[in-house]
Amino acid sequence: MRLDKILSDSGLYSRKEAGDAVRRGRVTVDGIVCRDPGAKFDENSACVVADGKQIGYVKFRYIMLNKPSDTVSTTEDDPKSVMKLLPLEYQKMDMFPCGRLDIDTLGLLLITNDGQTAHALLSPKHHCEKTYRFECLPIDEDARVRLESGLELSDFVSKPCKVELSDPTHGEITVTEGKYHQVKRMFHAVGSEITYLERIRFAGLELDASLERGQWRELTEGEMKMILEIAK
Ligand code: URA
């Protein structure tokens, strides 16, 4: 891989900054100064040091974001895009949200540049569980059972799911699908409406309670291993 790309993939330099650092002799590879940003090395074995810091090559990044309201889960250059909540260097790493949450839905959103894993986690084949905390217009036991059993909506029949109520207007729902407006449409179908929706679990990941809305962090080693295992 090109030396400037090894540096920019580390997240510490933009591609231009990486090129400048190399040309100015601030980068060594295996102890020797290299001034050619286009020089190619094996990113997994070369010892690259820039500005005195060893650069570990990280191929893929996985970020947990606590999505705030009034943000959209797209990569497009939309001022409301969740990607704007990440530092610039992350925005340059071809990252994208793994799945969509509605503009007013809050909570756990995985952002990555690992297309294969994202695809696997979203694929119906993997039945990845997604749990949402909700508030709704009051529902009774009959509606709860209907939600759980699967409902005929205009373009699909929802799969059986789990709905736990703490009172007639609050609870948690765990679904294994991710159809457009799925939870809202399911509640509408039983004569209720969702008034608050927050994703608290996705593919075994638990929303980190220490993240404020709009805050993010990289996944821990353990979380990363878990989603890679699920996506296998
Ligand atoms: N279901 C919805 O209706 N909206 C979301 O954002 C996620 C699941």
Side-chain angles (χ1 to χ4, degrees):
M1 181 178 289
R2 286 175 59 108
L3 183 54
D4 54 359
K5 176 135 172 64
I6 296 178
L7 288 172
S8 62
D9 280 358
S10 74
L12 297 171
Y13 298 86
S14 67
R15 194 69 174 254
K16 182 176 174 309
E17 288 162 351
D20 286 349
V22 175
R23 275 187 291 272
R24 286 166 194 241
R26 286 158 36 205
V27 180
T28 61
V29 181
D30 297 328
I32 298 162
V33 172
C34 175
R35 290 176 186 269
D36 176 6
K40 290 197 170 157
F41 298 96
D42 179 348
E43 66 276 11
N44 296 309
S45 60
C47 175
V48 178
V49 175
D51 297 320
K53 243 185 283 161
Q54 183 161 352
I55 304 297
Y57 177 68
V58 180
K59 189 167 178 200
F60 294 128
R61 301 262 169 186
Y62 306 89
I63 281 175
M64 174 188 294
L65 170 75
N66 185 349
K67 179 187 175 297
S69 190
D70 206 28
T71 53
V72 292
S73 337
T74 58
T75 46
E76 276 127 53
D77 203 15
D78 181 324
K80 290 191 172 184
S81 166
V82 288
M83 304 307 292
K84 303 270 187 236
L85 297 167
L86 302 181
L88 262 186
E89 60 264 30
Y90 281 85
Q91 295 180 34
K92 289 181 203 141
M93 283 182 200
D94 297 329
M95 315 260 296
F96 56 89
C98 177
R100 298 268 164 106
L101 291 177
D102 296 338
I103 188 163
D104 55 351
T105 301
L106 316 167
L108 174 50
L109 190 63
L110 175 67
I111 297 178
T112 183
N113 51 2
D114 179 353
Q116 217 172 333
T117 297
H119 181 75
L121 295 178
L122 296 172
S123 140
K125 201 174 82 198
H126 281 85
H127 311 290
C128 276
E129 290 194 340
K130 303 158 186 81
T131 302
Y132 300 85
R133 189 175 290 143
F134 63 81
E135 286 177 27
C136 63
L137 300 187
I139 56 171
D140 57 15
E141 179 57 14
D142 177 56
R144 192 194 67 77
V145 172
R146 286 173 62 213
L147 284 165
E148 277 200 336
S149 315
L151 292 161
E152 206 163 322
L153 301 175
S154 59
D155 53 342
F156 77 106
V157 178
S158 62
K159 294 218 168 73
C161 66
K162 182 111 201 91
V163 182
E164 290 167 303
L165 287 178
S166 42
D167 64 48
T169 57
H170 294 84
E172 287 182 14
I173 178 168
T174 301
V175 295
T176 54
E177 311 166 278
K179 298 268 182 357
Y180 184 61
H181 291 334
Q182 171 143 0
V183 175
K184 290 175 184 163
R185 290 173 65 198
M186 287 169 68
F187 276 73
H188 184 73
V190 298
S192 172
E193 293 299 337
I194 287 286
T195 52
Y196 173 91
L197 197 59
E198 174 186 19
R199 187 156 66 183
I200 54 171
R201 266 175 241 115
F202 170 62
L205 297 172
E206 191 95 29
L207 178 62
D208 185 333
S210 71
L211 290 177
E212 304 273 338
R213 299 269 182 241
Q215 283 188 335
W216 60 274
R217 66 160 171 79
E218 300 240 5
L219 293 194
T220 63
E221 199 74 22
E223 289 170 334
M224 221 159 20
K225 278 201 183 120
M226 187 188 60
I227 58 163
L228 295 179
E229 189 59 35
I230 292 174
K232 256 188 192 167

